[in-house]
Amino acid sequence: MAEHKTHIDELVDYPQLVVGQLLKNQDVINLLANRTGASYEDLENDDGSWKCFFDYDYTTGTMQEVGSYICVDTDIVEVPNSSVMTLKMYVEIIVHKDTMKLSRTVLPGYTGNRRDNLARYCDLALRGNREFGIGRLTLQSVVTFSVGNNNYTGKRLTYLVKGYATDRSKLP
């Protein structure tokens, strides 16, 4: 793996930072695993890869397992000079229609549906966070979107990240 810093490292780094923040929120873990008291290990495959997190804006292949997924992607939308840039970070929550309704016996204490609760708790884990760029992560929009497969629906949370240095020589 190359150790060189580039002007667009955030495209690679931010999705993993997002997943790390989401895994600190027990509600996100419970809603993805569909049980209370779940742990991040419940969200891993046998090979250590994630069952439900993707660092790109789609899920791979045909989704064989009925469940919920979170896709994270980043765009650089403005580079006004060599010291700052503006990024948009997208967190897409994709939920199968058969798991949309929450069972009060499986997940007591939650109201509403799984997709909107995942959006709520993902935002709680991310909004205002200072680990991204300079300043706080700012929620810009939340929109419902259709997934190509009619059995799934999604919510896209869009965050604005301002002021991250692009000139790596100026970073500490």
Side-chain angles (χ1 to χ4, degrees):
M1 180 172 87
E3 293 295 322
H4 303 291
K5 292 286 188 179
T6 72
H7 295 299
I8 57 174
D9 290 342
E10 294 78 11
L11 296 177
V12 175
D13 298 341
Y14 278 8
Q16 295 309 312
L17 271 171
V18 169
V19 171
Q21 291 300 311
L22 296 180
L23 288 171
K24 292 177 183 177
N25 187 295
Q26 188 62 49
D27 292 300
V28 171
I29 295 171
N30 290 345
L31 287 160
L32 288 172
N34 197 36
R35 69 181 188 86
T36 56
S39 70
Y40 73 90
E41 288 94 354
D42 295 315
L43 307 177
E44 289 181 320
N45 290 311
D46 292 337
D47 65 1
S49 63
W50 296 114
K51 293 179 184 177
C52 54
F53 291 108
F54 297 92
D55 60 355
Y56 36 84
D57 67 345
Y58 63 92
T59 56
T60 54
T62 303
M63 294 179 274
Q64 299 294 329
E65 191 173 318
V66 171
S68 303
Y69 305 90
I70 296 177
C71 300
V72 182
D73 210 349
T74 306
D75 287 332
I76 297 171
V77 295
E78 182 181 34
V79 185
N81 58 52
S82 65
S83 297
V84 296
M85 70 176 149
T86 303
L87 297 99
K88 280 193 179 179
M89 190 169 60
Y90 310 97
V91 178
E92 296 180 340
I93 297 146
I94 302 169
V95 177
H96 192 280
K97 68 178 184 179
D98 290 345
T99 63
M100 184 70 97
K101 188 175 181 178
L102 293 171
S103 167
R104 295 204 192 325
T105 57
V106 175
L107 290 167
Y110 293 95
T111 59
N113 65 62
R114 185 179 313 273
R115 183 198 60 205
D116 293 348
N117 272 284
L118 277 167
R120 170 196 291 174
Y121 291 111
C122 285
D123 181 57
L124 182 65
L126 296 173
R127 189 190 301 215
N129 194 300
R130 290 185 180 269
E131 291 191 37
F132 303 89
I134 298 170
R136 296 183 184 273
L137 196 60
T138 305
L139 180 67
Q140 191 172 44
S141 67
V142 179
V143 295
T144 303
F145 65 95
S146 297
V147 179
N149 182 330
N150 290 334
N151 291 320
Y152 288 85
T153 183
K155 281 275 191 210
R156 179 180 302 112
L157 286 67
T158 302
Y159 293 91
L160 200 59
V161 184
K162 293 185 178 182
Y164 205 90
T166 58
D167 183 349
R168 295 295 177 182
S169 67
K170 294 181 181 178
L171 291 177

